[in-house]
Amino acid sequence: MRRLILAALAMLVAAPALGQQPATVFAAASLTDAMRALGQEWASRGHPAPRFSFAASSALARQIEQGAGADLFLSADEPWMDFLQSRDLIVNASRISPIGNALVLVAPTMPVRAPVALTRETDLLALAQGGRIATGDPAHVPVGRYAQAALTWMGQWGAIAPRLARADNVRSALLLVERGEAPLGIVYSTDAAASAGVAVLGTFPAESHAPITYPFALTRRAAGNAEAIALHGFLAGPEAEPIFQRFGFRLAR
């Protein structure tokens, strides 16, 4: 099915992608490193280098709703893609979720702390030692929504909610932990892997939250843009998979 969708998109335009204007990609902050590497790979194949805008999925979706010039939207969760689809702002046939992630608990690398098994019996407030727990703002940032779901599953949301350091995206939450401003953070495993300043203490069980998937889609603005359609096919196709895996993303098969 995935290959059929990509093939159908390729038929939307007759002109070759080469020679077109660069595609503008609005991507979730957690995709920053992988997308920069993929952008370099795309340019090495003779295409114009994509223009990227990285932020929380919520902020990017709102910008697209307000008319921002994005050709592709890469969200860190399904609800913000639903938000644009319900407003007829994406090409529905282009929507695909090729990668996923995991949710982890992190702490500064120093002092060294022992790993923990995250279960319903794990006392996160005790692990925080009186400090705050950094994550995305659950009101609008996907990682915060996943964190809220996991903490609710653990039966600790009510106690921890007032102790959250609510960041505007996952990278900002990670930075709070790196700087030691928060003794714990709840972030994606890929962001933790990209940082030398944090250590993973544990991974939240898959059943504690909805699957972490990344939907990709063309915007209506890009419907006839050959370069944007070609880039979408590359990012959602098998050639991009090794790069996503190198940065720790899981493939959705």
Side-chain angles (χ1 to χ4, degrees), residues 152-169:
T152 300
W153 176 84
M154 296 175 77
Q156 299 181 43
W157 172 248
I160 292 177
R163 303 298 305 163
L164 287 182
R166 300 171 183 244
D168 59 3
N169 63 63

Side-chain angles (χ1 to χ4, degrees), residues 157-210:
W157 172 248
I160 292 177
R163 303 298 305 163
L164 287 182
R166 300 171 183 244
D168 59 3
N169 63 63
V170 67
R171 287 299 174 96
S172 295
L174 189 71
L175 190 59
L176 291 174
V177 182
E178 289 176 339
R179 291 175 174 171
E181 296 174 25
L184 294 176
I186 301 175
V187 299
Y188 299 125
S189 63
T190 52
D191 294 289
S195 171
V198 304
V200 174
L201 298 186
T203 300
F204 288 90
E207 65 266 26
S208 70
H209 56 81

Side-chain angles (χ1 to χ4, degrees), residues 28-40 52 54 171 174 190-195 243-244 246-247 249:
S30 55
L31 290 168
T32 300
D33 299 325
M35 291 310 304
R36 285 177 174 159
L38 284 160
Q40 291 174 356
F52 293 113
F54 299 107
R171 287 299 174 96
L174 189 71
T190 52
D191 294 289
S195 171
I243 296 177
F244 280 124
R246 173 154 56 91
F247 287 93
F249 290 93

Side-chain angles (χ1 to χ4, degrees), residues 120-163:
R120 286 190 167 103
E121 286 69 48
T122 307
D123 189 340
L124 292 182
L125 282 180
L127 289 174
Q129 301 173 341
R132 294 187 177 274
I133 299 176
T135 193
D137 187 344
H140 61 273
V141 180
V143 72
R145 291 179 173 177
Y146 292 120
Q148 179 176 352
L151 295 172
T152 300
W153 176 84
M154 296 175 77
Q156 299 181 43
W157 172 248
I160 292 177
R163 303 298 305 163

Side-chain angles (χ1 to χ4, degrees), residues 213-245:
T213 55
Y214 287 72
F216 298 177
L218 291 161
T219 67
R220 285 292 179 190
R221 173 182 183 269
N225 183 322
E227 175 64 20
I229 292 171
L231 177 60
H232 175 276
F234 169 70
L235 295 176
E239 293 177 305
E241 289 179 353
I243 296 177
F244 280 124
Q245 288 181 300

